[in-house]
Amino acid sequence: MNQLSNDRFKFFPQLNDIESSTWLHSRAPLSLSKVEQYFASDSLQDVFVHALARDYVLPTKEIFECFELFARIRKKTRRADVADFCCGHGLLGILFAMFEKSVERVVLIDRTEPPSRQKLIACATAIAPWVEAKIENRAEKISLGDERIPMGAGVVSAHACGSLSDLCIDIAIEKAGPVAILPCCYPKRACEAPQALQMVFGMEAAYDIHRTYRLENARYNVQWAAIPPQISPMNRVLCGTKK
């Protein structure tokens, strides 16, 4: 996936230009030695990262992926209600509950709930007690016509697989709210982009170009961004806001 000009670390600028960044995409827990080296302040984000590492809550990659995605989409997608679709452990939505005062309710939705989600909610609540009251946790498939997601809600998703990213877009359009996705798993059989685009730009870019046109046709302003490629090569971010 091609890099974009804004793919440097935003939430944690201290990680820009470090000598070795291989640990940032590790599936292993974040080591306390790295925390002490790079996250030693008393800021809320550093205290939270320290707790995540101490309690072995999530893999290193998952932590920085969500923090850096959140940094790029928070201003555009924050609403009173935010839905984190295909949320997995739920960190992206929890960051909205933790750092955005204007966000009153965060719905975490995935068809199954991994054990890490409750552990993560407990870890976040211990650091920021106001998080607990904002979280609505649901184990079910995402779908159109969900009346419990209000009109205008922000829709966000980190690595919803394949066509699930497109379903997130469909739900956002239905609710006329902002949307931000970090797509992954581009299944060729489901790509609706013209063959010419696929041949010239590659299938993954063509996929997201087609998604951009769908949003533009639904009267959205769309921007592309990127999280640092050191975290994941699947790093393109699509963010749309209603005109």
Side-chain angles (χ1 to χ4, degrees), residues 70 72-84 92-107 134-135 149-156 172 175-180 219-221 239-243:
F70 174 67
R72 284 151 179 78
I73 68 175
R74 58 190 297 184
K75 292 181 180 179
K76 297 180 180 67
T77 56
R78 60 188 175 198
R79 296 293 186 272
D81 293 89
V82 173
D84 183 0
L92 180 58
I94 287 170
L95 292 177
F96 275 92
M98 181 177 288
F99 288 96
E100 294 296 338
K101 292 182 178 180
S102 62
V103 173
E104 300 171 0
R105 173 175 171 254
V106 175
V107 185
K134 293 184 178 184
I135 296 296
I149 304 298
M151 294 296 295
V155 171
V156 300
K175 299 299 181 180
V179 59
R219 299 189 55 78
Y220 277 74
N221 290 314
C239 189
T241 52
K242 193 74 172 176
K243 294 178 181 178

Side-chain angles (χ1 to χ4, degrees), residues 29-37 49-51 53-56:
L30 179 59
S31 71
L32 289 174
S33 64
K34 294 296 185 186
V35 171
E36 292 167 359
Q37 183 176 1
V49 168
H50 189 280
R54 182 194 63 225
D55 295 343
Y56 301 104

Side-chain angles (χ1 to χ4, degrees), residues 45-119:
Q45 59 264 33
D46 280 11
V47 172
F48 189 30
V49 168
H50 189 280
L52 292 173
R54 182 194 63 225
D55 295 343
Y56 301 104
V57 178
L58 295 176
T60 301
K61 174 185 178 292
E62 304 291 338
I63 294 171
F64 295 112
E65 187 172 72
C66 287
F67 265 102
E68 289 300 318
L69 175 58
F70 174 67
R72 284 151 179 78
I73 68 175
R74 58 190 297 184
K75 292 181 180 179
K76 297 180 180 67
T77 56
R78 60 188 175 198
R79 296 293 186 272
D81 293 89
V82 173
D84 183 0
F85 286 141
C86 305
C87 66
H89 45 66
L91 179 55
L92 180 58
I94 287 170
L95 292 177
F96 275 92
M98 181 177 288
F99 288 96
E100 294 296 338
K101 292 182 178 180
S102 62
V103 173
E104 300 171 0
R105 173 175 171 254
V106 175
V107 185
L108 305 178
I109 308 179
D110 209 330
R111 62 179 182 178
T112 59
E113 180 179 335
S116 57
R117 194 184 304 171
Q118 288 299 330
K119 191 173 181 180

Side-chain angles (χ1 to χ4, degrees), residues 1-4 7 201 205 226 233 235-236:
M1 184 172 290
N2 292 331
Q3 294 186 23
L4 298 178
D7 62 3
F201 297 105
N235 68 329
R236 187 183 294 124

Side-chain angles (χ1 to χ4, degrees), residues 1-18 21-26 60-72 159 182 225-237:
M1 184 172 290
N2 292 331
Q3 294 186 23
L4 298 178
S5 60
N6 57 351
D7 62 3
R8 288 171 63 80
F9 285 88
K10 290 188 174 184
F11 218 115
F12 299 113
Q14 66 269 33
L15 298 178
N16 287 313
D17 306 316
I18 59 178
S21 60
T22 57
W23 57 276
L24 292 169
H25 61 253
S26 173
T60 301
K61 174 185 178 292
E62 304 291 338
I63 294 171
F64 295 112
E65 187 172 72
C66 287
F67 265 102
E68 289 300 318
L69 175 58
F70 174 67
R72 284 151 179 78
H159 284 172
L182 180 68
I227 64 170
Q230 299 96 313
I231 302 171
S232 172
M234 308 296 288
N235 68 329
R236 187 183 294 124
V237 179

Side-chain angles (χ1 to χ4, degrees), residues 161-196:
C161 289
S163 59
L164 288 175
S165 286
D166 297 289
L167 181 54
C168 291
I169 291 174
D170 292 339
I171 295 171
I173 292 172
E174 177 188 56
K175 299 299 181 180
V179 59
I181 59 173
L182 180 68
C184 75
C185 305
Y186 294 80
K188 184 175 179 60
R189 66 184 181 280
C191 185
E192 298 180 357
Q195 284 294 320

